[in-house]
Amino acid sequence: MIPLTGRLARLGDPLSFLLPWLAPRLTHLRNGSRRHPLRIAIRDSRSDPVRARQAVRELATDEQAHIVITMAGTQVLPAVVDACEELQVPCVSTTFPWQAYVHRPGAEEHQRFAWTYHFAWGLDDIATVFAEMWERLGATQTVGCLWNDDLQGRLLRHDRDGFAPVARKRGHTLIDPGGYREPAIDLSDHVDQLRRHGADIVTSAATAADLTLFHRQAHRSGLHPRLITCSRWLAYPHTGAAGSEELAQARVGTLVYWTPHHPYRSSLDGTTAADLATAYQQVTGNPWLQPLGLAHALIEVAHHALTRAADPTDRCAIAQAISSTRIATMAGSLDWTSGPTPNIALVPLVGGQWQPTSRGQELALVTNTGLPEVPITADLMSAR
């Protein structure tokens, strides 16, 4: 299932490219001594939770899908997960922190899902990466938090699995003025509180539009943070986007989970990360983007599960195969036998920063503690 239309449509670009690009390799699969035909059915989630549930039902009942793969946002993915659990169809998903999968609305504490599996990073991993960037500017920092009042913001503040406890444990002081509703209309109260508390760094998970609004109001009020770290303003090149020139001056730091520099290969045919990025650019005419690696890994995991299942035509056997999967993919080594919680495989993170070059804004790698095999390509830049 792909968000072909709606606000998440850009997130659907990688799968829209990969499915036809990989089609010659996906006509059949071999399970043991038997060769099985493989058919791919596509549905558009329209970036909407209600439509996503309907799309899962169409795939499960009309198409008789044996497995569903998806990339979605924090509103759409919970709907997909619930629908797949209800209809008892295996599902593999990715693209946002595992806490939003495990603690989604309506989910019971410590619930073990029977049919759905997710791979990504955690809010705690984001906090570790961001804190390392802050510490490049000084041992401990006073950090302002620009977090919304939705599920995302609540999880960032979670006292056990969230971002906040990890950052505080490293000695940083977090100033949290409270959540704001998206899309933001006025963030001046947040700006005033952060200025009064001397927040020299700001961390956020805001949309590009809300982050631009904050940056504009902050500068008008005299708040000039040396660094902004933002986990949502991360995946796509921002040249030409609304507010991109203004945010460029903020030297936004972000998390990085995939680049052409990552030492990853496809389990399907050995294609390297660099090869994949080049092919995407040549075919689409667009720059590579981080979700490309995750999208490729989704297809690899589904293919692996179908080839390893005791019966590739039985949904229960496929789900059991995913639960024991350990595989090296285009997104790195994924292991569902040792995740932080059941049904989760982790993706390592490094630190990046959007920096100006002669070709426009480019994502530089500025920390690599989480994955030393990825080379640092630039020093962290302060906004002042």
Side-chain angles (χ1 to χ4, degrees):
M1 184 167 56
I2 309 173
L4 296 172
T5 57
R7 63 186 180 83
L8 299 174
R10 192 77 191 276
L11 186 60
D13 289 351
L15 276 175
S16 296
F17 157 75
L18 284 166
L19 291 175
W21 189 65
L22 290 172
R25 304 170 181 83
L26 299 175
T27 57
H28 294 79
L29 62 86
R30 185 168 294 280
N31 182 293
S33 61
R34 297 192 61 184
R35 192 167 181 257
H36 299 265
L38 184 63
R39 183 172 66 90
I40 297 173
I42 299 174
R43 287 295 187 278
D44 180 9
S45 71
R46 301 179 191 168
S47 306
D48 176 77
V50 175
R51 169 55 191 166
R53 288 185 66 93
Q54 181 183 342
V56 170
R57 187 168 295 278
E58 291 173 4
L59 289 169
T61 58
D62 299 348
E63 301 288 355
Q64 294 295 301
H66 292 95
I67 186 170
V68 171
I69 61 175
T70 189
M71 303 174 75
T74 53
Q75 296 180 23
V76 174
L77 186 56
V80 175
V81 171
D82 289 340
C84 287
E85 288 288 328
E86 177 185 332
L87 296 168
Q88 299 185 348
V89 57
C91 175
V92 183
S93 60
T94 188
T95 57
F96 65 77
W98 62 261
Q99 288 89 342
Y101 171 92
V102 171
H103 298 297
R104 73 188 196 281
E108 297 179 8
E109 188 76 7
H110 305 303
Q111 176 183 2
R112 172 128 196 188
F113 307 118
W115 300 93
T116 53
Y117 297 82
H118 187 71
F119 65 93
W121 45 91
L123 297 172
D124 48 338
D125 300 313
I126 298 174
T128 299
V129 169
F130 283 5
E132 185 176 358
M133 283 192 268
W134 307 340
E135 288 155 14
R136 298 291 175 91
L137 304 180
T140 60
Q141 301 289 344
T142 298
V143 181
C145 302
L146 185 66
W147 294 337
N148 68 23
D149 63 359
D150 207 341
L151 173 66
Q152 179 189 73
R154 294 195 296 273
L155 292 176
L156 285 162
R157 300 175 176 92
H158 197 283
D159 59 3
R160 185 185 71 242
D161 293 334
F163 179 106
V166 174
R168 291 191 176 109
K169 189 174 181 179
R170 292 178 72 116
H172 302 290
T173 300
L174 300 185
I175 307 301
D176 182 3
Y180 65 91
R181 180 160 298 182
E182 293 184 341
I185 298 174
D186 181 9
L187 293 169
S188 57
D189 287 345
H190 289 71
V191 169
D192 290 342
Q193 290 195 52
L194 298 188
R195 189 184 67 251
R196 287 200 304 271
H197 285 87
D200 205 26
I201 292 172
V202 173
T203 195
S204 181
T207 63
D210 288 351
L211 192 61
T212 299
L213 174 63
F214 170 81
H215 188 256
R216 184 177 300 136
Q217 292 185 326
H219 274 243
R220 287 175 182 168
S221 72
L223 176 64
H224 302 283
R226 288 189 294 163
L227 177 67
I228 294 176
T229 52
C230 186
S231 56
R232 198 189 291 185
W233 201 72
L234 81 167
Y236 314 121
H238 286 78
T239 301
S244 61
E245 293 304 317
E246 188 170 341
L247 286 179
Q249 305 305 314
R251 304 286 187 260
V252 178
T254 192
L255 60 94
V256 177
Y257 50 83
W258 188 87
T259 73
H261 304 289
H262 276 59
Y264 298 154
R265 290 180 176 268
S266 166
S267 62
L268 298 175
D269 58 11
T271 297
T272 66
D275 292 338
L276 178 60
T278 298
Y280 182 81
Q281 292 172 169
Q282 289 176 342
V283 172
T284 68
N286 297 321
W288 66 269
L289 62 170
Q290 289 203 59
L292 184 59
L294 301 182
H296 196 288
L298 276 175
I299 298 169
E300 292 178 74
V301 172
H303 184 272
H304 179 80
L306 291 169
T307 60
R308 297 295 298 273
D311 179 357
T313 66
D314 179 75
R315 290 173 174 172
C316 185
I318 296 167
Q320 290 174 350
I322 301 170
S323 71
S324 60
T325 289
R326 298 169 63 186
I327 181 175
T329 73
M330 187 63 75
S333 295
L334 302 179
D335 183 358
W336 273 274
T337 69
S338 62
T341 189
N343 300 63
I344 299 295
L346 285 178
V347 173
L349 296 179
V350 296
Q353 185 180 40
W354 290 94
Q355 295 185 355
T357 72
S358 59
R359 298 177 296 275
Q361 291 287 308
E362 293 191 358
L363 186 60
L365 301 182
V366 296
T367 71
N368 66 351
T369 303
L371 193 65
E373 303 94 314
V374 178
I376 290 176
T377 61
D379 293 331
L380 182 73
M381 298 175 65
S382 173
R384 57 177 174 83

